[in-house]
Amino acid sequence: MTQYDYDLFVIGAGSGGVRAARIASQHGAKVAVAEDYRVGGTCVIRGCVPKKLFVYASHYSEAFEDAVGFGWTTEKVGFDWPTLVENKDKEIDRLNKAYIRNLEASGAELIMARAVFEDRHTVALADGRRISARYVLIATGAAPFVPLHLPGRELAITSNEAFHLERLPQRICIVGGGYIAVEFAGIFNNLGVETILIYRGEKILRGFDEDLRDHLTKEMKKKGIELRTGCDVVKIERSGSGVRVTCNDDAVFGAGQIMYATGRIPNVMGLNLEKVGVELTPHYAVKVDAYSRSSVENIYAVGDVTNRLNLTPVAIREGHAFADTVFGGRNIAVDHSNVPSAVFAQPEIGTVGLSEAAARELHPKIDIYKTSFRPMRHTMTGRDERSLMKLVVDGSNDQVLGCHIIGPGAAEMAQLLGLAIKAGATKADFDATMALHPTAGEELVTMRQKWTG
Ligand code: NDP
């Protein structure tokens, strides 16, 4: 039998790659992981974690305003951006070290170098070493994409740079209408930056439930974000220390920064995938089967590089399933249905299951239950902000197919609703659940009237 240096070589030490390496190691495999930047991947280093820390930071501006209604005086409040960035970086360093410790404790070897394929069992490292492995896992993630032919694209930053800005601009243009654009618009706006969101479509958050999209649009405008929909940037020019942004409707904006959040592309460039015969999808993702196996028998891929459902817990689950399948003797395919997700917009969104539109395409009879209300705390603050909750129910068997929430705590609620929906809960189960008072979540189990429009 052919001898290899390792049983498994993982390219990329992000969420998916690290989980796969640790579990494969626990199954007795000899594992190495190559990483050319920092251990932890997008989520830890320049994604979910620092973003959520920024979201927390940005909540305080409203919290200080709202505190007045509860009797607090808050005249001396101030905000220092460099302190936030420094403290965020300390936390990321801590997590980075914890990832390294956990990886090494599992027995996997960490190699800080870029790795590219030589052949289907061999990778070449940047330092000239060649390493062979029975299996190779591609877990290289994805990177922000700025449209290639946009004049002045080099003047745009992406979320990568937004985490390290030396100072906050007075004004920022954010381009895109997806998760990242919407989340950063909320962060910057609440930190006091004049924020313009430019989106090419008619309504932000394509693919989400229409009620969520409409509700968030209204709330973002109320908070002062300037939303320019149906608008595409055609040119970016330097203007003083900032930029001048020209759109296809001839609108021109001056801003300190322009940030692009127009999607992410899988990191496949330069890996030599064509040389080893790994097929890609039309969107440059590694094409895989239900077990994350690529078109080459011993090469697998997990996480954003496969562009299935680009969420950290999904990458982790895919990495774990891969390791169990290949080294643990249990064939496990990841179920990508009913995955809860959140958009940490302001107010935040939590959602799981089918949108009303998607449900209507799949099921002949759909019942809708929804409610919109002012969160209890705002009865004292005077803030004009409303929450929305919506259940999408299969009218033929009463099963809850989707649940969509916008308002404080939406993400936490969606996590637990994911359990109910995964377990096949019916509307009758929701009705039979006792309310927990006073909470926002109790609205979910007390909606009795079908929405008739
Ligand atoms: P998304 O795919 O969510 O959104 C991309 C946005 O950019 C869309 O509004 C899209 O418009 C627009 N767009 C695409 N190409 C162009 C272009 N050439 N010109 C102008 N606009 C364009 O990507 P994000 O970058 O926001 O996020 C990437 C992924 O990261 C998400 O899909 C998500 O899976 C993950 N993520 C998850 C988070 C979470 O769980 N909270 C947070 C952040 C990211 P259109 O709708 O018209 O296509």
Side-chain angles (χ1 to χ4, degrees), residues 51 147 177-180 183 199-200 206 261-264 310-311 342:
K51 180 275 308 290
Y179 281 83
I180 297 179
E183 292 182 339
Y199 174 49
R200 65 182 179 182
R206 185 164 61 81
T262 44
R264 298 172 65 87
N310 300 331
L311 298 169

Side-chain angles (χ1 to χ4, degrees), residues 26-267:
Q26 283 169 19
H27 286 310
K30 186 179 178 201
V31 181
V33 185
E35 170 60 53
D36 68 351
Y37 182 54
R38 295 186 73 189
V39 176
T42 298
C43 173
V44 172
I45 306 298
R46 46 193 179 192
C48 328
V49 173
K51 180 275 308 290
K52 187 84 188 274
L53 296 175
F54 278 11
V55 169
Y56 283 134
S58 69
H59 281 169
Y60 285 98
S61 57
E62 289 190 354
F64 287 124
E65 286 171 14
D66 292 349
V68 175
F70 290 91
W72 291 86
T73 38
T74 56
E75 273 93 25
K76 282 196 180 150
V77 167
F79 170 68
D80 185 51
W81 169 256
T83 301
L84 171 63
V85 173
E86 191 186 322
N87 289 346
K88 175 265 298 175
D89 286 342
K90 276 188 208 147
E91 173 57 8
I92 302 310
D93 282 349
R94 188 187 70 79
L95 289 171
N96 170 245
K97 290 193 183 94
Y99 258 68
I100 294 173
R101 259 198 321 275
N102 290 340
L103 188 60
E104 291 178 344
S106 75
E109 186 185 334
L110 176 62
I111 300 171
M112 292 306 296
R114 185 171 166 76
V116 300
F117 279 97
E118 283 261 304
D119 62 47
R120 51 191 283 245
H121 286 290
T122 313
V123 293
L125 301 181
D127 60 12
R129 274 185 291 163
R130 275 169 180 63
I131 292 178
S132 65
R134 181 175 300 280
Y135 293 98
V136 182
L137 179 70
I138 305 166
T140 48
F145 156 80
V146 180
L148 288 179
H149 302 296
L150 174 73
R153 72 189 288 276
E154 68 285 355
L155 299 172
I157 61 166
T158 67
S159 53
N160 285 353
E161 292 75 39
F163 288 119
H164 299 284
L165 288 177
E166 269 179 35
R167 66 187 74 83
L168 278 179
Q170 200 185 336
R171 197 167 201 233
I172 192 163
C173 286
I174 298 180
V175 184
Y179 281 83
I180 297 179
V182 163
E183 292 182 339
F184 271 89
I187 291 169
F188 283 120
N189 182 60
N190 271 24
L191 290 180
V193 179
E194 275 176 55
T195 304
I196 305 167
L197 185 68
I198 300 174
Y199 174 49
R200 65 182 179 182
E202 287 311 310
K203 213 188 280 181
I204 53 169
L205 290 182
R206 185 164 61 81
F208 283 74
D209 188 88
E210 293 297 309
D211 281 315
L212 287 185
R213 300 172 76 188
D214 290 334
H215 194 98
L216 184 63
T217 299
K218 259 192 248 155
E219 295 296 332
M220 286 174 76
K221 284 182 177 168
K222 275 195 235 166
K223 288 183 191 294
I225 294 171
E226 185 177 342
L227 255 173
R228 302 292 295 234
T229 51
C231 182
D232 226 346
V233 174
V234 292
K235 180 169 66 172
I236 309 171
E237 296 159 292
R238 194 177 291 287
S239 169
S241 60
V243 291
R244 184 181 137 96
V245 179
T246 307
C247 296
N248 57 350
D249 57 2
D250 292 332
V252 175
F253 303 100
Q257 294 283 1
I258 179 162
M259 174 179 145
Y260 263 70
T262 44
R264 298 172 65 87
I265 47 167
N267 281 325

Side-chain angles (χ1 to χ4, degrees), residues 317-371:
R317 194 59 78 85
E318 288 168 358
H320 201 128
F322 151 78
D324 281 346
T325 302
V326 174
F327 299 102
R330 295 159 64 210
N331 281 354
I332 298 179
V334 173
D335 177 4
H336 290 92
S337 67
N338 290 329
V339 174
S341 74
V343 185
F344 293 98
Q346 306 195 22
E348 80 185 20
I349 284 177
T351 177
V352 57
L354 298 178
S355 67
E356 179 178 344
R360 287 196 190 283
E361 273 182 24
L362 294 170
H363 301 271
K365 185 172 183 299
I366 289 298
D367 295 332
I368 299 297
Y369 296 82
K370 64 179 168 185
T371 177

Side-chain angles (χ1 to χ4, degrees), residues 290-333:
Y291 300 98
S292 298
R293 186 195 290 246
S294 78
S295 54
V296 178
E297 192 226 350
N298 72 304
I299 300 176
Y300 287 68
V302 296
D304 289 6
V305 76
T306 64
N307 197 25
R308 285 175 281 184
L309 196 50
N310 300 331
L311 298 169
T312 300
V314 175
I316 291 173
R317 194 59 78 85
E318 288 168 358
H320 201 128
F322 151 78
D324 281 346
T325 302
V326 174
F327 299 102
R330 295 159 64 210
N331 281 354
I332 298 179

